[in-house]
Amino acid sequence: MNRVNQECVETLRYLSKEEAVSMETELLRDYRFGREQLAELLGHACAVAITKIFPLSSLEKRQPTLLVLCGPGQNGCVGLVCARYLRVFEYNPTVFCHERSREGLHQDLTVQCEKMDLPFLSYLPTEVQLVNDAYNLVVDAVLGPETEPETEALTSALQAMRGVKIPIVSLDIPSGWESDDSNTDQINPALLISLITPKRCAQSFSGPHFLAGRFLPYDIQKKYQLNLPKFAGTDCVVEL
Amino acid sequence: MNRVNQECVETLRYLSKEEAVSMETELLRDYRFGREQLAELLGHACAVAITKIFPLSSLEKRQPTLLVLCGPGQNGCVGLVCARYLRVFEYNPTVFCHERSREGLHQDLTVQCEKMDLPFLSYLPTEVQLVNDAYNLVVDAVLGPETEPETEALTSALQAMRGVKIPIVSLDIPSGWESDDSNTDQINPALLISLITPKRCAQSFSGPHFLAGRFLPYDIQKKYQLNLPKFAGTDCVVEL
């Protein structure tokens, strides 16, 4: 690693939950980005990151099956787009949404997946061995940094993830972790994909870690002193 | 070229305007894709295609300057997203929008470009030599296949493009061409980037030709017998 890269890594900032929320508000309100636009570009980038660490050729099971767990909020929207692109990249994703979201974007993204013939599970098997046997990995798009009420369905998804032995890929933060702290009795993903910027809890994550989303205006990068690493070529993700 | 590829090229379908319009209606109404979502993914893919044929290192002028001409409709929206990604990929795009669009998405995408510090021209120089001298190439996102009323500002943009000597990159169809026919007394782009599917007029285009947008559900590909070529890896564009 040369000095320039080292300097970037040293000074890369991990945002607190408060900072992440305020940056997102600015992006939506002042920079006029749309939620639909952000879900699309982030979900696409997450799928690309997954192909880098878990290429089709590396999967152990005969079929390239993945289980994508989607929460009812923004994290779940990114998960739905990610599932759609994983299908385009020739994986076989199955989706589980805890409950039908009443949010329009979530519903639209669900229809897009259904129309791509992605199977949806109506409930999660309580026996985690069934998940271990059926899928190569689990994509965790259940909870993001925003606080969401923990419903029974969410609890069951978190419990399932604590029990599975196949690798977990977490989008933005590992579900159940506090955004500002690590929490090691929770799930332990094999791959973490931070969305837009890494959050504080990611500092204690030691596995492969990607940043998804290459669109941040320079002014906002400067304002939050992000010191993002350089993306190569036209890549939409970068390994941190 | 092996037999399989040849077969694909032979049977790739170029849609009539009527078919293209009806497919788009289905994508928006039945598949629940959003215009914001489509503009984002298509604009990104167009910028990636431009880096392939006109990489930074190939540009003749000292600064990697580009002029992106955006119409008031959907083609212009894709052009605005493309301009933003070209900036992210370290080009220096300057944008010209013929008139302020009253459409919300167009306005939001314009603000995103402005906040990325992209310069906007308030009028096009009548002397095309100024355009030849200042920019390495022109991105033509003026008119798509949909019929739009030809305003004075649009006419001046088309006239400027007929006069310039620097390469033109056209998004979807070369502006001024009829979607279903070629029209050789019109502009003659150096690169054509078809959006979603190629339109009939592209059949008579002999330069490098890319397809942008890798998201079409298989059912709709089958219904319109598109026979799209295979995209490599996670590429969002493919050369036709």
Side-chain angles (χ1 to χ4, degrees), chain A residues 32 36-37 40 108 112, chain B residues 32 36-37 40 108 112:
Chain A
R32 302 268 281 274
E36 181 181 313
Q37 192 179 14
E40 181 67 22
D108 288 346
Q112 292 168 24
Chain B
R32 301 267 282 272
E36 181 182 313
Q37 192 179 15
E40 182 67 22
D108 288 346
Q112 292 169 22

Side-chain angles (χ1 to χ4, degrees), chain B residues 218-232:
Chain B
Y218 304 105
D219 282 359
I220 212 161
Q221 293 190 29
K222 237 185 291 169
K223 177 169 175 186
Y224 288 90
Q225 300 170 290
L226 297 179
N227 300 315
L228 297 181
K230 209 171 145 56
F231 290 73

Side-chain angles (χ1 to χ4, degrees), chain B residues 199-220:
Chain B
K199 315 302 175 294
R200 274 204 190 145
C201 64
Q203 276 179 299
S204 59
F205 179 73
S206 57
H209 181 195
F210 280 77
L211 178 64
R214 184 180 179 179
F215 72 99
L216 273 188
Y218 304 105
D219 282 359
I220 212 161

Side-chain angles (χ1 to χ4, degrees), chain A residues 30-38 40-41 44 48 51 81 84-85 87-90 104 107-109 111-112 115-117 214-219 230 233-236, chain B residues 30-38 40-41 44 48 51 81 84-85 87-90 104 107-109 111-112 115-117 214-219 230 233-236:
Chain A
D30 304 334
Y31 289 82
R32 302 268 281 274
F33 283 97
R35 286 191 188 281
E36 181 181 313
Q37 192 179 14
L38 295 182
E40 181 67 22
L41 72 90
H44 170 254
V48 170
T51 68
V81 176
R84 181 160 51 77
Y85 277 104
R87 183 74 203 91
V88 166
F89 299 153
E90 300 182 357
Q107 290 177 345
D108 288 346
L109 297 172
V111 173
Q112 292 168 24
K115 293 266 188 183
M116 286 282 279
D117 282 334
R214 183 180 181 181
F215 72 99
L216 273 187
Y218 303 104
D219 282 359
K230 207 170 146 59
T234 56
D235 285 2
C236 55
Chain B
D30 304 334
Y31 289 81
R32 301 267 282 272
F33 282 96
R35 286 192 188 281
E36 181 182 313
Q37 192 179 15
L38 295 182
E40 182 67 22
L41 73 90
H44 170 254
V48 170
T51 68
V81 175
R84 182 159 52 77
Y85 277 105
R87 183 73 201 91
V88 166
F89 299 153
E90 301 183 355
Q107 289 176 347
D108 288 346
L109 297 172
V111 173
Q112 292 169 22
K115 293 267 188 181
M116 286 283 279
D117 283 335
R214 184 180 179 179
F215 72 99
L216 273 188
Y218 304 105
D219 282 359
K230 209 171 145 56
T234 57
D235 285 3
C236 56

Side-chain angles (χ1 to χ4, degrees), chain A residues 178-189:
Chain A
E178 286 293 325
S179 186
D180 289 349
D181 292 298
S182 75
N183 203 328
T184 43
D185 64 331
Q186 298 283 350
I187 66 167
N188 185 23

Side-chain angles (χ1 to χ4, degrees), chain A residues 75 140 143-145 170-175 177-179 192 199 201:
Chain A
N75 211 252
D140 156 28
L143 292 171
S170 285
L171 308 193
D172 211 11
I173 66 167
S175 293
W177 286 31
E178 286 293 325
S179 186
L192 176 61
K199 315 301 175 293
C201 64

